[in-house]
Structure formats: C-alpha cells, structure tokens
Amino acid sequence: MGTTTFSGPIRAGNIRNTVGTTVGTDVANVGYVVMMQTHTMDLSSGAIAAGATDMVIPANSKIIDVVVDLSTAANATTNLSVGDTVGGATTILNTLATGTSAGLKTVTTQGGGTGEWADTGTADLKLTVTNSAATTAGVAVITVMYAQAYNTVVHP
C-alpha cells in the first residue's frame, strides 16, 4: 500500500465557519486530525541516558497523549522518560514506571512532564527516550500523539 505525506496541519469537517446556530447546517465542525509517531526501545540493552529516536514533533503542536506498551515483559521495573534533545528543556514524560508485566502502561499527570503537552513551542522537537534501570529483558513501544500546528490558530 502506498503512503501520502502532507505538509500539514490536516483539518477535517465540512463547515469551516459558524454563521448561525443550527448544528449540521451553519455551525463550524472542523477539527484537527490526530497524528502519531512511534519508537520501539529494547530495554535489555540496560540503562540508556538519552537514546535518540526518529520521533520529531513539529513546532507549535499540541501533544494529546503518550502511550507506552510493554510489548515484551521486562524482568525488572524501569522508569521511562521522553523529552527533547536540543537543550533537554522539554519533558514530555517523566519517569513512568513500566512494571514487569507486558501490556499498556497508563500515563497520567503522575507520569510527570504533562505541563509541556500544551504547546511544543516554536521549534521542532527531536525526542529521546531515557531508560533508568538496567534490565535484561523487555521491549517498550512509545507512541506520541499530537495535533500538528494546533497552537498557531485561535480556537473558540
């Protein structure tokens, strides 16, 4: 199957502007398409201070969620952190404990760094993932979901 690349942001809906009060006829219904990027991390390689990923979140994006899936069980709990590589000032996820059982890990405000989700800023963010503990087994799939260029538009 082929793929298509857009320069974005992608918005969808058939009524761009509100001019009345009748839903489905004259009330705006355009929204942003949610984008995602994923990085797979082999936890068996031990603690990684700042492992670079191929994930680059476009400038002015709004991070919506981070999903951590321990696709292969780990033999020890480790803390995963996700942030940028340029200056290291932006923390997307701060020390999320993976546990040892395979499956999805819940990211909440207790995951840390969620205050940086509102606006990624005026420059692209190249993300790194940090694994705090040496394990000998485990694979984590980290997915970051975002709305591209969401913060460049005034929203009602």
Side-chain angles (χ1 to χ4, degrees), residues 42-82:
D42 181 359
L43 300 177
S44 68
S45 59
I48 298 174
T53 73
D54 291 331
M55 294 188 290
V56 178
I57 308 301
N60 298 306
S61 294
K62 176 179 177 47
I63 294 179
I64 297 164
D65 199 2
V66 178
V67 175
V68 176
D69 181 10
L70 205 58
S71 62
T72 302
N75 69 320
T77 294
T78 185
N79 292 316
L80 295 178
S81 297
V82 178

PDB file of all heavy atoms in Angstrom, residues 42-82:
ATOM      1  N   ASP A  42      14.467  -1.344  22.989  1.00  0.00           N
ATOM      2  CA  ASP A  42      14.876  -2.619  23.577  1.00  0.00           C
ATOM      3  C   ASP A  42      15.414  -2.336  24.976  1.00  0.00           C
ATOM      4  O   ASP A  42      16.470  -1.733  25.134  1.00  0.00           O
ATOM      5  CB  ASP A  42      15.948  -3.257  22.704  1.00  0.00           C
ATOM      6  CG  ASP A  42      16.415  -4.601  23.231  1.00  0.00           C
ATOM      7  OD1 ASP A  42      15.933  -5.052  24.295  1.00  0.00           O
ATOM      8  OD2 ASP A  42      17.279  -5.205  22.573  1.00  0.00           O
ATOM      9  N   LEU A  43      14.658  -2.736  25.986  1.00  0.00           N
ATOM     10  CA  LEU A  43      15.059  -2.467  27.368  1.00  0.00           C
ATOM     11  C   LEU A  43      16.198  -3.358  27.823  1.00  0.00           C
ATOM     12  O   LEU A  43      16.864  -3.076  28.816  1.00  0.00           O
ATOM     13  CB  LEU A  43      13.868  -2.637  28.307  1.00  0.00           C
ATOM     14  CG  LEU A  43      12.674  -1.725  28.019  1.00  0.00           C
ATOM     15  CD1 LEU A  43      11.536  -2.045  28.972  1.00  0.00           C
ATOM     16  CD2 LEU A  43      13.056  -0.268  28.093  1.00  0.00           C
ATOM     17  N   SER A  44      16.457  -4.455  27.120  1.00  0.00           N
ATOM     18  CA  SER A  44      17.500  -5.394  27.544  1.00  0.00           C
ATOM     19  C   SER A  44      18.899  -4.834  27.341  1.00  0.00           C
ATOM     20  O   SER A  44      19.868  -5.410  27.802  1.00  0.00           O
ATOM     21  CB  SER A  44      17.356  -6.721  26.808  1.00  0.00           C
ATOM     22  OG  SER A  44      17.640  -6.561  25.434  1.00  0.00           O
ATOM     23  N   SER A  45      18.999  -3.690  26.672  1.00  0.00           N
ATOM     24  CA  SER A  45      20.323  -3.097  26.472  1.00  0.00           C
ATOM     25  C   SER A  45      20.790  -2.329  27.699  1.00  0.00           C
ATOM     26  O   SER A  45      21.859  -1.743  27.690  1.00  0.00           O
ATOM     27  CB  SER A  45      20.299  -2.175  25.255  1.00  0.00           C
ATOM     28  OG  SER A  45      19.331  -1.160  25.436  1.00  0.00           O
ATOM     29  N   GLY A  46      19.981  -2.338  28.757  1.00  0.00           N
ATOM     30  CA  GLY A  46      20.376  -1.682  30.005  1.00  0.00           C
ATOM     31  C   GLY A  46      19.972  -0.224  30.039  1.00  0.00           C
ATOM     32  O   GLY A  46      19.257   0.259  29.175  1.00  0.00           O
ATOM     33  N   ALA A  47      20.452   0.468  31.043  1.00  0.00           N
ATOM     34  CA  ALA A  47      20.110   1.876  31.219  1.00  0.00           C
ATOM     35  C   ALA A  47      20.660   2.697  30.055  1.00  0.00           C
ATOM     36  O   ALA A  47      21.799   2.509  29.640  1.00  0.00           O
ATOM     37  CB  ALA A  47      20.658   2.393  32.540  1.00  0.00           C
ATOM     38  N   ILE A  48      19.832   3.573  29.537  1.00  0.00           N
ATOM     39  CA  ILE A  48      20.225   4.452  28.443  1.00  0.00           C
ATOM     40  C   ILE A  48      20.020   5.878  28.916  1.00  0.00           C
ATOM     41  O   ILE A  48      18.917   6.276  29.284  1.00  0.00           O
ATOM     42  CB  ILE A  48      19.390   4.177  27.179  1.00  0.00           C
ATOM     43  CG1 ILE A  48      19.639   2.746  26.696  1.00  0.00           C
ATOM     44  CG2 ILE A  48      19.712   5.184  26.093  1.00  0.00           C
ATOM     45  CD1 ILE A  48      18.761   2.327  25.550  1.00  0.00           C
ATOM     46  N   ALA A  49      21.075   6.660  28.931  1.00  0.00           N
ATOM     47  CA  ALA A  49      20.991   8.022  29.454  1.00  0.00           C
ATOM     48  C   ALA A  49      20.075   8.890  28.591  1.00  0.00           C
ATOM     49  O   ALA A  49      19.264   9.636  29.100  1.00  0.00           O
ATOM     50  CB  ALA A  49      22.368   8.630  29.534  1.00  0.00           C
ATOM     51  N   ALA A  50      20.185   8.823  27.294  1.00  0.00           N
ATOM     52  CA  ALA A  50      19.333   9.612  26.406  1.00  0.00           C
ATOM     53  C   ALA A  50      19.415   9.019  25.011  1.00  0.00           C
ATOM     54  O   ALA A  50      20.200   9.461  24.187  1.00  0.00           O
ATOM     55  CB  ALA A  50      19.750  11.071  26.392  1.00  0.00           C
ATOM     56  N   GLY A  51      18.637   7.981  24.760  1.00  0.00           N
ATOM     57  CA  GLY A  51      18.658   7.317  23.471  1.00  0.00           C
ATOM     58  C   GLY A  51      17.857   8.087  22.441  1.00  0.00           C
ATOM     59  O   GLY A  51      16.667   8.300  22.603  1.00  0.00           O
ATOM     60  N   ALA A  52      18.517   8.561  21.392  1.00  0.00           N
ATOM     61  CA  ALA A  52      17.842   9.324  20.349  1.00  0.00           C
ATOM     62  C   ALA A  52      16.817   8.452  19.636  1.00  0.00           C
ATOM     63  O   ALA A  52      16.993   7.241  19.501  1.00  0.00           O
ATOM     64  CB  ALA A  52      18.857   9.860  19.355  1.00  0.00           C
ATOM     65  N   THR A  53      15.735   9.062  19.228  1.00  0.00           N
ATOM     66  CA  THR A  53      14.695   8.373  18.473  1.00  0.00           C
ATOM     67  C   THR A  53      14.555   9.031  17.104  1.00  0.00           C
ATOM     68  O   THR A  53      15.201  10.044  16.825  1.00  0.00           O
ATOM     69  CB  THR A  53      13.327   8.458  19.184  1.00  0.00           C
ATOM     70  OG1 THR A  53      12.829   9.802  19.051  1.00  0.00           O
ATOM     71  CG2 THR A  53      13.422   8.086  20.648  1.00  0.00           C
ATOM     72  N   ASP A  54      13.706   8.472  16.262  1.00  0.00           N
ATOM     73  CA  ASP A  54      13.385   9.093  14.985  1.00  0.00           C
ATOM     74  C   ASP A  54      12.138   9.967  15.100  1.00  0.00           C
ATOM     75  O   ASP A  54      11.660  10.481  14.104  1.00  0.00           O
ATOM     76  CB  ASP A  54      13.157   8.014  13.916  1.00  0.00           C
ATOM     77  CG  ASP A  54      14.447   7.302  13.557  1.00  0.00           C
ATOM     78  OD1 ASP A  54      15.524   7.921  13.658  1.00  0.00           O
ATOM     79  OD2 ASP A  54      14.385   6.124  13.173  1.00  0.00           O
ATOM     80  N   MET A  55      11.621  10.134  16.323  1.00  0.00           N
ATOM     81  CA  MET A  55      10.418  10.937  16.513  1.00  0.00           C
ATOM     82  C   MET A  55      10.783  12.425  16.550  1.00  0.00           C
ATOM     83  O   MET A  55      11.589  12.851  17.374  1.00  0.00           O
ATOM     84  CB  MET A  55       9.698  10.563  17.809  1.00  0.00           C
ATOM     85  CG  MET A  55       9.126   9.161  17.828  1.00  0.00           C
ATOM     86  SD  MET A  55       8.097   8.828  19.286  1.00  0.00           S
ATOM     87  CE  MET A  55       9.312   8.793  20.588  1.00  0.00           C
ATOM     88  N   VAL A  56      10.186  13.188  15.632  1.00  0.00           N
ATOM     89  CA  VAL A  56      10.349  14.643  15.615  1.00  0.00           C
ATOM     90  C   VAL A  56       8.948  15.228  15.567  1.00  0.00           C
ATOM     91  O   VAL A  56       8.217  15.052  14.588  1.00  0.00           O
ATOM     92  CB  VAL A  56      11.183  15.118  14.412  1.00  0.00           C
ATOM     93  CG1 VAL A  56      11.273  16.647  14.406  1.00  0.00           C
ATOM     94  CG2 VAL A  56      12.574  14.493  14.444  1.00  0.00           C
ATOM     95  N   ILE A  57       8.561  15.925  16.635  1.00  0.00           N
ATOM     96  CA  ILE A  57       7.229  16.518  16.722  1.00  0.00           C
ATOM     97  C   ILE A  57       7.309  17.928  16.140  1.00  0.00           C
ATOM     98  O   ILE A  57       8.150  18.728  16.554  1.00  0.00           O
ATOM     99  CB  ILE A  57       6.741  16.563  18.191  1.00  0.00           C
ATOM    100  CG1 ILE A  57       6.858  15.178  18.832  1.00  0.00           C
ATOM    101  CG2 ILE A  57       5.316  17.108  18.257  1.00  0.00           C
ATOM    102  CD1 ILE A  57       6.089  14.080  18.154  1.00  0.00           C
ATOM    103  N   PRO A  58       6.442  18.257  15.159  1.00  0.00           N
ATOM    104  CA  PRO A  58       6.508  19.575  14.517  1.00  0.00           C
ATOM    105  C   PRO A  58       6.255  20.721  15.500  1.00  0.00           C
ATOM    106  O   PRO A  58       5.535  20.568  16.488  1.00  0.00           O
ATOM    107  CB  PRO A  58       5.390  19.513  13.471  1.00  0.00           C
ATOM    108  CG  PRO A  58       5.145  18.058  13.243  1.00  0.00           C
ATOM    109  CD  PRO A  58       5.425  17.396  14.556  1.00  0.00           C
ATOM    110  N   ALA A  59       6.841  21.867  15.197  1.00  0.00           N
ATOM    111  CA  ALA A  59       6.674  23.072  16.014  1.00  0.00           C
ATOM    112  C   ALA A  59       5.197  23.410  16.183  1.00  0.00           C
ATOM    113  O   ALA A  59       4.374  23.112  15.315  1.00  0.00           O
ATOM    114  CB  ALA A  59       7.393  24.242  15.344  1.00  0.00           C
ATOM    115  N   ASN A  60       4.883  24.021  17.324  1.00  0.00           N
ATOM    116  CA  ASN A  60       3.540  24.518  17.645  1.00  0.00           C
ATOM    117  C   ASN A  60       2.478  23.435  17.717  1.00  0.00           C
ATOM    118  O   ASN A  60       1.294  23.715  17.560  1.00  0.00           O
ATOM    119  CB  ASN A  60       3.110  25.610  16.656  1.00  0.00           C
ATOM    120  CG  ASN A  60       4.026  26.797  16.734  1.00  0.00           C
ATOM    121  OD1 ASN A  60       4.245  27.353  17.792  1.00  0.00           O
ATOM    122  ND2 ASN A  60       4.593  27.167  15.605  1.00  0.00           N
ATOM    123  N   SER A  61       2.894  22.208  17.945  1.00  0.00           N
ATOM    124  CA  SER A  61       1.931  21.113  18.060  1.00  0.00           C
ATOM    125  C   SER A  61       1.443  20.997  19.501  1.00  0.00           C
ATOM    126  O   SER A  61       2.095  21.453  20.427  1.00  0.00           O
ATOM    127  CB  SER A  61       2.570  19.790  17.634  1.00  0.00           C
ATOM    128  OG  SER A  61       2.875  19.826  16.260  1.00  0.00           O
ATOM    129  N   LYS A  62       0.295  20.374  19.656  1.00  0.00           N
ATOM    130  CA  LYS A  62      -0.260  20.087  20.978  1.00  0.00           C
ATOM    131  C   LYS A  62      -0.184  18.584  21.174  1.00  0.00           C
ATOM    132  O   LYS A  62      -0.784  17.820  20.422  1.00  0.00           O
ATOM    133  CB  LYS A  62      -1.715  20.546  21.068  1.00  0.00           C
ATOM    134  CG  LYS A  62      -2.374  20.182  22.398  1.00  0.00           C
ATOM    135  CD  LYS A  62      -3.794  20.682  22.456  1.00  0.00           C
ATOM    136  CE  LYS A  62      -4.517  20.292  23.707  1.00  0.00           C
ATOM    137  NZ  LYS A  62      -3.829  20.496  24.945  1.00  0.00           N
ATOM    138  N   ILE A  63       0.571  18.153  22.172  1.00  0.00           N
ATOM    139  CA  ILE A  63       0.650  16.724  22.471  1.00  0.00           C
ATOM    140  C   ILE A  63      -0.634  16.327  23.176  1.00  0.00           C
ATOM    141  O   ILE A  63      -1.078  16.987  24.120  1.00  0.00           O
ATOM    142  CB  ILE A  63       1.894  16.397  23.302  1.00  0.00           C
ATOM    143  CG1 ILE A  63       3.122  16.671  22.424  1.00  0.00           C
ATOM    144  CG2 ILE A  63       1.860  14.957  23.790  1.00  0.00           C
ATOM    145  CD1 ILE A  63       4.434  16.441  23.062  1.00  0.00           C
ATOM    146  N   ILE A  64      -1.252  15.275  22.688  1.00  0.00           N
ATOM    147  CA  ILE A  64      -2.540  14.822  23.199  1.00  0.00           C
ATOM    148  C   ILE A  64      -2.380  13.662  24.167  1.00  0.00           C
ATOM    149  O   ILE A  64      -3.051  13.584  25.185  1.00  0.00           O
ATOM    150  CB  ILE A  64      -3.456  14.427  22.025  1.00  0.00           C
ATOM    151  CG1 ILE A  64      -3.721  15.650  21.164  1.00  0.00           C
ATOM    152  CG2 ILE A  64      -4.741  13.793  22.507  1.00  0.00           C
ATOM    153  CD1 ILE A  64      -4.280  15.332  19.806  1.00  0.00           C
ATOM    154  N   ASP A  65      -1.467  12.745  23.854  1.00  0.00           N
ATOM    155  CA  ASP A  65      -1.300  11.572  24.703  1.00  0.00           C
ATOM    156  C   ASP A  65       0.030  10.911  24.393  1.00  0.00           C
ATOM    157  O   ASP A  65       0.605  11.092  23.315  1.00  0.00           O
ATOM    158  CB  ASP A  65      -2.437  10.569  24.453  1.00  0.00           C
ATOM    159  CG  ASP A  65      -2.611   9.557  25.586  1.00  0.00           C
ATOM    160  OD1 ASP A  65      -1.885   9.645  26.600  1.00  0.00           O
ATOM    161  OD2 ASP A  65      -3.483   8.688  25.458  1.00  0.00           O
ATOM    162  N   VAL A  66       0.511  10.156  25.348  1.00  0.00           N
ATOM    163  CA  VAL A  66       1.675   9.292  25.170  1.00  0.00           C
ATOM    164  C   VAL A  66       1.224   7.905  25.603  1.00  0.00           C
ATOM    165  O   VAL A  66       0.684   7.735  26.692  1.00  0.00           O
ATOM    166  CB  VAL A  66       2.883   9.752  26.008  1.00  0.00           C
ATOM    167  CG1 VAL A  66       4.049   8.789  25.833  1.00  0.00           C
ATOM    168  CG2 VAL A  66       3.295  11.163  25.631  1.00  0.00           C
ATOM    169  N   VAL A  67       1.414   6.934  24.731  1.00  0.00           N
ATOM    170  CA  VAL A  67       1.037   5.555  25.030  1.00  0.00           C
ATOM    171  C   VAL A  67       2.318   4.736  25.142  1.00  0.00           C
ATOM    172  O   VAL A  67       3.161   4.773  24.245  1.00  0.00           O
ATOM    173  CB  VAL A  67       0.126   4.970  23.925  1.00  0.00           C
ATOM    174  CG1 VAL A  67      -0.173   3.507  24.179  1.00  0.00           C
ATOM    175  CG2 VAL A  67      -1.156   5.783  23.801  1.00  0.00           C
ATOM    176  N   VAL A  68       2.457   4.028  26.259  1.00  0.00           N
ATOM    177  CA  VAL A  68       3.605   3.155  26.459  1.00  0.00           C
ATOM    178  C   VAL A  68       3.077   1.726  26.524  1.00  0.00           C
ATOM    179  O   VAL A  68       2.260   1.393  27.372  1.00  0.00           O
ATOM    180  CB  VAL A  68       4.368   3.512  27.755  1.00  0.00           C
ATOM    181  CG1 VAL A  68       5.510   2.523  27.983  1.00  0.00           C
ATOM    182  CG2 VAL A  68       4.885   4.941  27.679  1.00  0.00           C
ATOM    183  N   ASP A  69       3.540   0.901  25.593  1.00  0.00           N
ATOM    184  CA  ASP A  69       3.135  -0.501  25.528  1.00  0.00           C
ATOM    185  C   ASP A  69       4.367  -1.358  25.762  1.00  0.00           C
ATOM    186  O   ASP A  69       5.311  -1.325  24.975  1.00  0.00           O
ATOM    187  CB  ASP A  69       2.526  -0.814  24.161  1.00  0.00           C
ATOM    188  CG  ASP A  69       2.058  -2.256  24.038  1.00  0.00           C
ATOM    189  OD1 ASP A  69       2.018  -2.976  25.057  1.00  0.00           O
ATOM    190  OD2 ASP A  69       1.734  -2.663  22.909  1.00  0.00           O
ATOM    191  N   LEU A  70       4.378  -2.087  26.866  1.00  0.00           N
ATOM    192  CA  LEU A  70       5.456  -3.030  27.117  1.00  0.00           C
ATOM    193  C   LEU A  70       5.102  -4.283  26.323  1.00  0.00           C
ATOM    194  O   LEU A  70       4.382  -5.148  26.793  1.00  0.00           O
ATOM    195  CB  LEU A  70       5.572  -3.311  28.620  1.00  0.00           C
ATOM    196  CG  LEU A  70       6.924  -3.754  29.137  1.00  0.00           C
ATOM    197  CD1 LEU A  70       8.009  -2.731  28.829  1.00  0.00           C
ATOM    198  CD2 LEU A  70       6.871  -4.015  30.622  1.00  0.00           C
ATOM    199  N   SER A  71       5.566  -4.320  25.076  1.00  0.00           N
ATOM    200  CA  SER A  71       5.182  -5.415  24.178  1.00  0.00           C
ATOM    201  C   SER A  71       5.847  -6.732  24.557  1.00  0.00           C
ATOM    202  O   SER A  71       5.336  -7.801  24.247  1.00  0.00           O
ATOM    203  CB  SER A  71       5.486  -5.060  22.724  1.00  0.00           C
ATOM    204  OG  SER A  71       6.868  -4.853  22.543  1.00  0.00           O
ATOM    205  N   THR A  72       6.987  -6.662  25.219  1.00  0.00           N
ATOM    206  CA  THR A  72       7.657  -7.837  25.770  1.00  0.00           C
ATOM    207  C   THR A  72       7.943  -7.539  27.240  1.00  0.00           C
ATOM    208  O   THR A  72       8.510  -6.491  27.559  1.00  0.00           O
ATOM    209  CB  THR A  72       8.978  -8.119  25.027  1.00  0.00           C
ATOM    210  OG1 THR A  72       8.702  -8.308  23.642  1.00  0.00           O
ATOM    211  CG2 THR A  72       9.678  -9.343  25.590  1.00  0.00           C
ATOM    212  N   ALA A  73       7.529  -8.440  28.112  1.00  0.00           N
ATOM    213  CA  ALA A  73       7.679  -8.231  29.555  1.00  0.00           C
ATOM    214  C   ALA A  73       9.132  -7.967  29.932  1.00  0.00           C
ATOM    215  O   ALA A  73      10.052  -8.560  29.359  1.00  0.00           O
ATOM    216  CB  ALA A  73       7.147  -9.441  30.315  1.00  0.00           C
ATOM    217  N   ALA A  74       9.308  -7.097  30.902  1.00  0.00           N
ATOM    218  CA  ALA A  74      10.643  -6.796  31.423  1.00  0.00           C
ATOM    219  C   ALA A  74      10.896  -7.655  32.653  1.00  0.00           C
ATOM    220  O   ALA A  74       9.963  -8.093  33.319  1.00  0.00           O
ATOM    221  CB  ALA A  74      10.745  -5.319  31.784  1.00  0.00           C
ATOM    222  N   ASN A  75      12.161  -7.893  32.977  1.00  0.00           N
ATOM    223  CA  ASN A  75      12.478  -8.682  34.164  1.00  0.00           C
ATOM    224  C   ASN A  75      12.616  -7.805  35.407  1.00  0.00           C
ATOM    225  O   ASN A  75      12.728  -8.302  36.515  1.00  0.00           O
ATOM    226  CB  ASN A  75      13.755  -9.491  33.946  1.00  0.00           C
ATOM    227  CG  ASN A  75      14.979  -8.608  33.874  1.00  0.00           C
ATOM    228  OD1 ASN A  75      14.948  -7.534  33.276  1.00  0.00           O
ATOM    229  ND2 ASN A  75      16.073  -9.057  34.454  1.00  0.00           N
ATOM    230  N   ALA A  76      12.600  -6.470  35.219  1.00  0.00           N
ATOM    231  CA  ALA A  76      12.673  -5.537  36.342  1.00  0.00           C
ATOM    232  C   ALA A  76      11.984  -4.244  35.923  1.00  0.00           C
ATOM    233  O   ALA A  76      11.946  -3.913  34.742  1.00  0.00           O
ATOM    234  CB  ALA A  76      14.118  -5.258  36.719  1.00  0.00           C
ATOM    235  N   THR A  77      11.438  -3.533  36.901  1.00  0.00           N
ATOM    236  CA  THR A  77      10.807  -2.249  36.611  1.00  0.00           C
ATOM    237  C   THR A  77      11.868  -1.224  36.253  1.00  0.00           C
ATOM    238  O   THR A  77      12.926  -1.153  36.878  1.00  0.00           O
ATOM    239  CB  THR A  77      10.004  -1.754  37.824  1.00  0.00           C
ATOM    240  OG1 THR A  77       8.918  -2.649  38.035  1.00  0.00           O
ATOM    241  CG2 THR A  77       9.462  -0.357  37.605  1.00  0.00           C
ATOM    242  N   THR A  78      11.578  -0.443  35.242  1.00  0.00           N
ATOM    243  CA  THR A  78      12.440   0.678  34.867  1.00  0.00           C
ATOM    244  C   THR A  78      11.560   1.907  34.730  1.00  0.00           C
ATOM    245  O   THR A  78      10.341   1.805  34.638  1.00  0.00           O
ATOM    246  CB  THR A  78      13.196   0.384  33.556  1.00  0.00           C
ATOM    247  OG1 THR A  78      14.116   1.456  33.306  1.00  0.00           O
ATOM    248  CG2 THR A  78      12.262   0.235  32.374  1.00  0.00           C
ATOM    249  N   ASN A  79      12.167   3.071  34.747  1.00  0.00           N
ATOM    250  CA  ASN A  79      11.440   4.317  34.550  1.00  0.00           C
ATOM    251  C   ASN A  79      11.793   4.871  33.182  1.00  0.00           C
ATOM    252  O   ASN A  79      12.972   5.095  32.891  1.00  0.00           O
ATOM    253  CB  ASN A  79      11.809   5.347  35.627  1.00  0.00           C
ATOM    254  CG  ASN A  79      11.308   4.919  36.985  1.00  0.00           C
ATOM    255  OD1 ASN A  79      10.183   4.467  37.129  1.00  0.00           O
ATOM    256  ND2 ASN A  79      12.151   5.044  37.991  1.00  0.00           N
ATOM    257  N   LEU A  80      10.776   5.100  32.364  1.00  0.00           N
ATOM    258  CA  LEU A  80      10.988   5.680  31.038  1.00  0.00           C
ATOM    259  C   LEU A  80      10.672   7.158  31.079  1.00  0.00           C
ATOM    260  O   LEU A  80       9.685   7.584  31.674  1.00  0.00           O
ATOM    261  CB  LEU A  80      10.092   4.995  30.007  1.00  0.00           C
ATOM    262  CG  LEU A  80      10.364   3.518  29.750  1.00  0.00           C
ATOM    263  CD1 LEU A  80       9.365   2.975  28.737  1.00  0.00           C
ATOM    264  CD2 LEU A  80      11.785   3.303  29.255  1.00  0.00           C
ATOM    265  N   SER A  81      11.514   7.946  30.430  1.00  0.00           N
ATOM    266  CA  SER A  81      11.285   9.375  30.283  1.00  0.00           C
ATOM    267  C   SER A  81      11.419   9.725  28.807  1.00  0.00           C
ATOM    268  O   SER A  81      12.216   9.114  28.089  1.00  0.00           O
ATOM    269  CB  SER A  81      12.299  10.186  31.091  1.00  0.00           C
ATOM    270  OG  SER A  81      12.160   9.908  32.469  1.00  0.00           O
ATOM    271  N   VAL A  82      10.620  10.702  28.363  1.00  0.00           N
ATOM    272  CA  VAL A  82      10.662  11.154  26.976  1.00  0.00           C
ATOM    273  C   VAL A  82      10.817  12.667  26.998  1.00  0.00           C
ATOM    274  O   VAL A  82      10.111  13.370  27.728  1.00  0.00           O
ATOM    275  CB  VAL A  82       9.365  10.777  26.219  1.00  0.00           C
ATOM    276  CG1 VAL A  82       9.412  11.292  24.782  1.00  0.00           C
ATOM    277  CG2 VAL A  82       9.139   9.278  26.238  1.00  0.00           C
TER     278      VAL A  82
END
